[in-house]
């Protein structure tokens, strides 16, 4: 409890000191606010642009590895079992050989390629974890497929050659990594048919930088009769581009941020040293009344931290508003908070040298200052 009371007393005294010195407090406030605003309007804009560019590259399609297999390749659903416990794989799905399907209401209508599908996670296809009807009896179609089938709504039935029929259970939004299957009609299947032939295998890596190693792993686990009968496509080039973009923009932003923070720290130290010199008599009086050197250092740094916190908050808010109004990308909230915390730390650390200078002066000598 004594420590809490001392901390409260120190905060109260620092706040009173800050209000008693409006000129110095305002200068410190403006300096820290300008420092945070400058960081956000320069390197912050760069970081936001980097986040925007990386977000456009770092999509599911960027992390996709697509294997196309010929009918005689020997690739079957059992490949999902071999991929199930591989680190770095977020999702995997197997798609059977295409079968011509027609609207049962129009047996002579245009056919659409239907593919049976297998996966342990139907959410990866935008479907619920367990489709609404029995697996193997329902199919889901994209808007393009429904239009080709002559269906105004996702309702009705389709039949494939051989008499197998499926009920259209709903629409499916075609993910970027399945665009090559459009017009898309899939019929989710149970996992029992592990020997069913596969015409396409889609694997999503957890991160873009893992696309290359995951691709190599998938290649070794295909277990096909002839490697020439399969084609593997990945976005390794885009993943490499993502790393280059992030690295170059990040290096530029860090250099700019360090330059601004270093210059601002120097200015804050000079300002506080001047303010300490103006308060020499006040500090001498406190030392003569029993204040320790540690208390003087704590008082100066706490006062600086209070004004710096207010300045950082206002500076960041103004900079974010300017970026938003100008149509520029605004950094994430976590980055804004990080800049504020860094600004307060820089200002507080810059106050240490002036605070130590104030604490080490002899009380008798300072009280003689007119």
């Amino acid at each position: 409890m004594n420590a809490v009371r001392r901390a409260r007393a120190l905060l109260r005294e620092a706040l009173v000191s800050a209000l008693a010195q409006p000129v110095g407090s305002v200068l410190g406030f403006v300096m820290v606010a300008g420092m945070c605003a400058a960081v956000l309007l320069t390197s912050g804009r760069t970081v936001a642009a980097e986040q925007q560019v990386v977000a456009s590259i770092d999509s599911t399609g960027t992390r996709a590895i697509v294997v196309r297999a010929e009918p005689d390749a020997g690739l079957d659903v059992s490949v999902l079992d071999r991929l199930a416990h591989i680190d770095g794989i977020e999702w995997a799905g197997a798609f059977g050989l295409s079968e011509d399907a027609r609207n049962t209401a129009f047996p002579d209508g245009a056919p659409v390629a239907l593919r049976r599908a297998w996966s342990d996670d139907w959410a990866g296809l935008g479907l619920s974890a367990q489709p609404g009807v029995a697996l193997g009896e329902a199919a889901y179609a994209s808007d393009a497929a429904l239009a080709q089938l002559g269906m105004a709504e996702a309702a009705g039935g389709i039949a494939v050659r051989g008499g197998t029929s499926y009920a259209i259970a709903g629409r499916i939004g075609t993910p970027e990594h399945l665009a090559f299957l459009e017009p898309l009609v899939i019929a989710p299947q149970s996992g029992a048919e592990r020997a069913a032939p596969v015409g396409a295998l889609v694997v999503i890596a957890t991160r873009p930088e893992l696309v290359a190693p995951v691709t190599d792993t998938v290649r070794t686990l295909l277990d096909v009769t002839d490697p020439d009968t399969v084609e593997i496509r990945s976005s390794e080039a885009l993943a490499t581009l993502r790393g280059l973009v992030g690295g170059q923009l990040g290096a530029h932003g860090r250099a700019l941020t360090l330059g601004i923070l270093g210059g601002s720290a120097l200015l804050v130290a000079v300002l506080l040293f001047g303010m300490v010199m103006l308060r020499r008599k006040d500090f001498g009086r406190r030392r003569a009344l029993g204040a320790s050197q540690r208390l003087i250092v704590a008082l100066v740094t706490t006062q600086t931290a209070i004004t710096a916190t207010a300045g950082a908050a206002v500076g960041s808010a103004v900079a974010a508003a300017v970026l938003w109004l100008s149509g520029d990308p605004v950094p994430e909230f976590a980055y804004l908070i990080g800049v504020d915390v860094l600004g307060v730390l820089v200002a507080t650390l810059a106050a240490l040298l002036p605070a130590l200078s104030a604490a080490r002066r002899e009380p008798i000598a300072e009280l003689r200052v007119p």
Side-chain angles (χ1 to χ4, degrees):
M1 293 300 293
N2 290 335
V4 174
R5 284 198 295 268
R6 285 197 296 268
R8 288 179 178 176
L10 177 63
L11 286 173
R12 184 171 55 252
E13 184 64 23
L15 183 59
V16 170
S17 297
L19 295 176
Q21 296 178 309
V23 175
S25 298
V26 169
L27 286 176
F29 172 91
V30 171
M31 193 168 296
V32 175
M35 173 176 62
C36 292
V39 169
L40 290 175
L41 292 175
T42 52
S43 62
R45 182 187 276 115
T46 301
V47 168
E50 174 191 349
Q51 292 169 347
Q52 197 173 63
V53 171
V54 169
S56 65
I57 298 176
D58 189 12
S59 62
T60 302
T62 306
R63 297 179 282 120
I65 300 150
V66 177
V67 180
R68 303 289 297 271
E70 297 179 6
D72 58 347
L75 184 64
D76 57 35
V77 181
S78 64
V79 68
L80 295 179
D81 296 330
R82 296 191 291 274
L83 295 174
H85 304 293
I86 301 299
D87 291 335
I89 294 180
E90 179 180 298
W91 181 83
F95 301 86
L97 303 176
S98 64
E99 304 175 74
D100 285 345
R102 288 179 169 83
N103 190 337
T104 54
F106 306 101
D108 297 327
V112 175
L114 175 141
R115 291 179 183 269
R116 295 190 295 165
W118 293 265
S119 177
D120 294 329
D121 180 13
W122 296 112
L125 294 174
L127 306 177
S128 59
Q130 292 293 331
V133 294
L135 292 174
E137 298 180 4
Y140 297 81
S142 66
D143 289 338
L146 290 173
Q148 191 164 326
L149 288 168
M151 294 181 175
E153 300 294 336
I158 57 175
V160 298
R161 186 178 301 173
T164 305
S165 61
Y166 299 92
I168 297 296
R171 298 177 186 268
I172 182 172
T174 305
E176 182 182 353
H177 52 279
L178 296 184
F180 69 98
L181 296 178
E182 276 280 46
L184 179 64
V185 181
I186 62 170
Q189 306 291 308
S190 66
E193 302 177 81
R194 308 316 275 180
V198 168
L201 173 69
V202 178
V203 177
I204 306 298
T206 54
R207 300 192 305 275
E209 58 268 25
L210 294 179
V211 169
V214 170
T215 300
D216 293 337
T217 301
V218 169
R219 181 179 288 107
T220 61
L221 295 177
L222 291 179
D223 191 24
V224 294
T225 56
D226 183 1
D228 293 334
T229 59
V230 297
E231 176 191 3
I232 301 179
R233 293 182 299 170
S234 69
S235 52
E236 184 177 350
L238 281 177
T240 302
L241 175 62
R242 178 191 184 276
L244 292 175
V245 169
Q248 291 179 355
L249 292 178
H252 173 72
R254 286 191 294 270
L256 194 57
T257 300
L258 290 176
I260 294 173
L261 291 177
S264 300
L266 180 60
L267 292 176
V268 169
V270 171
L271 171 66
L272 290 176
F273 190 80
M275 298 306 298
V276 165
M277 294 302 293
L278 292 176
R279 296 181 62 191
R280 291 167 60 187
K281 193 169 184 178
D282 176 45
F283 290 131
R285 185 182 302 111
R286 290 176 183 273
R287 289 295 312 283
L289 293 175
S292 64
Q293 292 183 351
R294 182 180 300 177
L295 177 61
I296 299 298
V297 171
L299 182 62
V300 175
T301 53
T302 303
Q303 179 180 340
T304 303
I306 291 174
T307 57
T309 300
V314 172
S316 295
V318 170
V322 170
L323 290 174
W324 181 74
L325 291 173
S326 63
D328 290 322
V330 180
E332 296 178 349
F333 183 72
Y335 183 83
L336 297 176
I337 295 298
V339 169
D340 287 350
V341 172
L342 193 58
V344 173
L345 287 176
V346 166
T348 304
L349 291 175
L352 280 178
L353 187 59
L356 290 172
S357 176
R360 291 177 178 177
R361 293 183 177 275
E362 290 296 331
I364 301 301
E366 298 303 320
L367 288 175
R368 292 174 181 171
V369 177

